[in-house]
Amino acid sequence: QVQLVESGGGLVQAGESLRLSCAASRSISSVFSMGWHRQAPGKQRELVAGITSDITSGDNANYADSVKGRFTISKDNDKNTLYLQMNSLKPEDTAVYYCNVFNRGVVYWGQGTQVTVSS
């Protein structure tokens, strides 16, 4: 079982930046994929960014079109932590952001952290 704890959310003004962190309770060095999803009021949970690891190709990141060029996903295997750097935030980015881990056919979720961007 993997426990995930998100942090770093808060209230910011449009154009500012935040970095979200997701601390895992165990090693993530061999995890197949990790990512960030978000859910805004009245909307479905959507993928924001993901990172997939492969023995031969290494780590590969992908992003939703709405955040490309503004968000960057990364991880620190030594700290068992996943990050999401969010720059040039927009009011449309307001949502609860969730960290997730997918490995061996099982998906684990954190409790989420609120990001609110004011105009």
Side-chain angles (χ1 to χ4, degrees):
Q1 190 174 30
V2 180
Q3 295 180 9
L4 305 172
V5 180
E6 301 98 334
S7 62
L11 174 63
V12 298
Q13 294 183 340
E16 295 183 343
S17 299
L18 283 173
R19 188 172 80 157
L20 305 183
S21 298
C22 172
S25 61
R26 62 173 60 180
S27 175
I28 59 173
S29 61
S30 61
V31 170
F32 177 70
S33 68
M34 302 183 71
W36 292 91
H37 288 70
R38 68 185 181 188
Q39 187 166 22
K43 296 184 178 181
Q44 297 184 89
R45 187 174 298 187
E46 63 177 349
L47 174 67
V48 176
I51 182 167
T52 302
S53 299
D54 184 88
I55 297 176
T56 58
S57 63
D59 296 340
N60 297 283
N62 61 282
Y63 302 89
D65 290 338
S66 60
V67 306
K68 285 183 178 178
R70 299 189 298 119
F71 290 11
T72 303
I73 187 172
S74 63
K75 65 175 181 175
D76 187 331
N77 291 333
D78 292 334
K79 296 182 178 180
N80 295 338
T81 302
L82 181 73
Y83 301 99
L84 183 67
Q85 178 66 45
M86 305 185 295
N87 298 327
S88 301
L89 283 164
K90 305 175 180 179
E92 303 90 271
D93 296 318
T94 296
V96 177
Y97 285 71
Y98 299 90
C99 171
N100 83 287
V101 170
F102 175 67
N103 195 46
R104 297 182 178 182
V106 180
V107 179
Y108 302 91
W109 294 93
Q111 294 300 306
T113 184
Q114 177 71 48
V115 173
T116 303
V117 184
S118 62
S119 59

